[in-house]
Amino acid sequence: MTQPRPAADYRAHLAEIARRTTAALEKSGYDSLILQAGEPPGWFRDDQTYPYRPHADFRLWLPLLDAPGSLLQFTPGRRPRLIFFVARDFWYQPASLPDSDWPAEFDVVTVHSRAEARAALQGPLQRTAWIGDALPELIAWGIGAINPEHLLRRLDYARAIKTPYEIECLRTANRIAASGHAAARAKFLAGGSEFDIHQAFCDACGQREQELPYNAIVAINEAAAVLHYQVLRRTPPTRARSLLLDAGASFAGYGSDITRTATAGDGADDRDFAAMVAALDRAQQALCAQVRPGADWRDIHASAVRAIAAVLVEAGVLRCSVEESLTNGAARLFFPHGIGHMLGLQVHDVGGFMADEEGATIARPALDPALRLTRVLQPGFVVTMEPGLYFIDALLEPARAADVARAIDWQRVAALQPYGGIRIEDNLAVTAQGCENLTRGIHHE
Ligand code: GLY
Ligand code: MN
Ligand code: MN
């Protein structure tokens, strides 16, 4: 995969991560930190492994994606030490450092075994914290603490604010995914199956499936009602009505998370559904314009429920007012997830509920148990904006027998259910005044 370009802002990124980590270590009472890259987990009673990706805490420091067995040690005031594991192996290709500028920022020690890795660690380790898998050796190594919560919380809290380097990586991950989405849409309109569309996405991004930041959701027709639909049907439908594609690309360890809903056909129901997609797209853009420092994400979510309700009322799916649909539960039957989440090294990035670095949390609103972010936005946060509406049997069936049934036009539901649902998702970086839409290249001030 491509390596990150910006040497200058990578250096500034590394300095900022070192600064944050120094402060977190001091407050938590540790002298040094070891970050484990991790190792690919094995299949049960087999010699195969699951796809490998380095732990996010390790990836924060360096864009090294082929690093099983490696460690990074950071001691404040010293250059970070990369203990780079190179297997002596003729069955698999051993890892190698990429030809890039960033390795020069590290004190690199190459090792071939865990014992050599232990020998390469600096200093007494009783005041050293380890972040990674609890390897059996760690006790004998004399490591001070394994994944200490109070340190993890401080690091997670700080990670919400992305450096300019990270935002550039996310911008690139968006650009790569945009070409994937265009190719996927073309494949859908040409009559491709979910499987074909997925292949087209990977091809256009130049990424194999295991490199993608998350399993792409490729949902034709009614399957779009399954929020994290994971099947890739090999045969195209007899009649293609809609495609919900939720797919991102990776760059230097960062991932984009983008959803588009495409329509096909020009019958009356097709046109009605396409009009709902267009209405939700407009609503999504209006919601993006609300993203700015000081905005409380819980308020943006409440505003999203209202905007989605308005689309449903306009489309004749709801037979009550927008206000009523918020209190009688009708709106949330069609929009059961949160309006967005933090994005970065992880698709659902850490720190979404944190009130402070000590670990106090901000609760989700009682009516919105699926919300993944409850914080007040600050410059540097990167979030997704992903309103959706879906015709989900598991939610609608029980509603038929409840009071809320009167607020729903069930004939409209029956006509639209074969289309599954709609989601439109962009990635936004909060700026000093507003936000930058990394997916569409639009700035809101
Ligand atoms: N792709 C998962 C999500 O949108 O949260
Ligand atoms: Mn998504
Ligand atoms: Mn998302």
Side-chain angles (χ1 to χ4, degrees):
M1 216 185 301
T2 7
Q3 290 298 319
R5 170 190 57 75
D9 57 4
Y10 171 70
R11 225 168 271 139
H13 164 79
L14 198 54
E16 171 62 12
I17 300 306
R19 189 194 65 72
R20 292 177 188 177
T21 306
T22 300
L25 287 171
E26 265 168 23
K27 286 189 191 157
S28 312
Y30 299 107
D31 293 343
S32 170
L33 175 66
I34 301 169
L35 298 159
Q36 186 212 24
E39 289 167 28
W43 297 359
F44 182 60
R45 284 164 42 78
D46 203 317
D47 63 356
Q48 300 295 304
T49 58
Y50 291 98
Y52 172 71
R53 93 179 35 192
H55 297 334
D57 300 279
F58 178 91
R59 276 184 284 132
L60 175 65
W61 288 73
L62 69 182
L64 180 61
L65 302 176
D66 184 16
S70 289
L71 303 175
L72 182 74
Q73 184 175 19
F74 174 68
T75 306
R78 291 200 191 177
R79 261 154 70 86
R81 170 168 284 200
L82 172 61
I83 299 168
F84 184 54
F85 182 80
V86 178
R88 289 201 204 280
D89 188 358
F90 52 84
W91 294 104
Y92 293 97
Q93 176 69 41
S96 58
L97 286 181
D99 178 20
S100 186
D101 292 338
W102 69 256
E105 305 301 320
F106 295 84
D107 169 19
V108 180
V109 183
T110 298
V111 298
H112 305 287
S113 67
R114 269 204 195 146
E116 286 178 26
R118 166 66 189 93
L121 292 169
Q122 293 169 303
L125 300 178
Q126 68 270 23
R127 282 169 59 85
T128 292
W130 165 279
I131 298 182
D133 305 314
L135 302 179
E137 289 92 333
L138 296 186
I139 307 226
W141 288 10
I143 299 273
I146 300 168
N147 300 318
E149 268 297 323
H150 58 141
L151 174 64
L152 288 176
R153 283 197 290 263
R154 289 197 163 90
L155 296 175
D156 286 355
Y157 186 73
R159 233 172 83 188
I161 298 187
K162 271 58 184 180
T163 63
Y165 161 81
E166 293 183 286
I167 292 173
E168 180 61 20
C169 289
L170 288 161
R171 235 181 243 120
T172 306
N174 266 269
R175 255 198 310 275
I176 298 169
S179 50
H181 272 266
R185 181 185 152 85
K187 183 60 80 177
F188 167 66
L189 294 176
S193 68
E194 291 167 351
F195 186 82
D196 299 331
I197 293 166
H198 188 266
Q199 301 279 77
F201 181 84
C202 289
D203 267 0
C205 292
Q207 296 185 5
R208 60 198 288 195
E209 184 171 9
Q210 68 189 53
E211 289 172 324
L212 302 181
Y214 58 93
N215 288 332
I217 298 164
V218 188
I220 292 180
N221 295 352
E222 77 295 337
V226 181
L227 295 179
H228 284 166
Y229 178 72
Q230 76 283 26
V231 181
L232 290 175
R233 286 177 287 191
R234 273 25 178 210
T235 44
T238 344
R239 179 175 159 199
R241 301 165 191 266
S242 63
L243 168 70
L244 187 156
L245 176 64
D246 183 343
S250 299
F251 181 74
Y254 292 80
S256 50
D257 179 10
I258 302 172
T259 310
R260 290 293 181 264
T261 306
T263 57
D266 60 0
D269 289 340
D270 297 324
R271 285 199 300 274
D272 286 354
F273 184 74
M276 288 178 82
V277 175
L280 193 72
D281 190 63
R282 285 191 296 276
Q284 194 258 11
Q285 287 298 283
L287 289 164
C288 290
Q290 293 179 23
V291 171
R292 64 175 69 91
D296 187 321
W297 194 251
R298 292 169 299 180
D299 295 339
I300 292 183
H301 178 80
S303 170
V305 181
R306 191 175 290 274
I308 293 163
V311 173
L312 290 162
V313 169
E314 175 66 25
V317 174
L318 293 186
R319 298 197 297 198
C320 59
S321 69
V322 168
E323 268 336 292
E324 285 163 340
S325 79
L326 303 178
T327 51
N328 66 17
R332 285 176 172 85
L333 281 177
F334 296 88
F335 174 50
H337 61 75
I339 189 57
H341 50 84
M342 301 274 204
L343 179 72
L345 291 161
Q346 290 164 248
V347 179
H348 298 146
D349 213 12
V350 291
F353 304 107
M354 299 186 74
D356 61 33
E357 63 169 17
E358 313 279 323
T361 55
I362 305 169
R364 297 163 161 130
L367 290 177
D368 301 299
L371 196 55
R372 293 180 193 268
L373 172 57
T374 50
R375 287 172 72 169
V376 172
L377 301 179
Q378 298 173 40
F381 280 23
V382 175
V383 297
T384 64
M385 180 63 76
E386 48 182 306
L389 63 89
Y390 315 86
F391 302 94
I392 303 174
D393 255 335
L395 298 177
L396 294 177
E397 273 314 304
R400 286 178 197 270
D403 286 349
V404 70
R406 283 197 295 277
I408 295 167
D409 183 329
W410 294 101
Q411 274 192 338
R412 290 294 281 155
V413 168
L416 292 165
Q417 204 145 27
Y419 296 81
I422 310 170
R423 179 161 64 254
I424 296 167
E425 176 175 25
D426 291 344
N427 305 160
L428 310 172
V430 182
T431 58
Q433 312 282 336
C435 71
E436 175 187 345
N437 186 323
L438 304 175
T439 314
R440 303 194 197 218
I442 300 171
H443 289 258
H444 297 278
E445 291 294 312

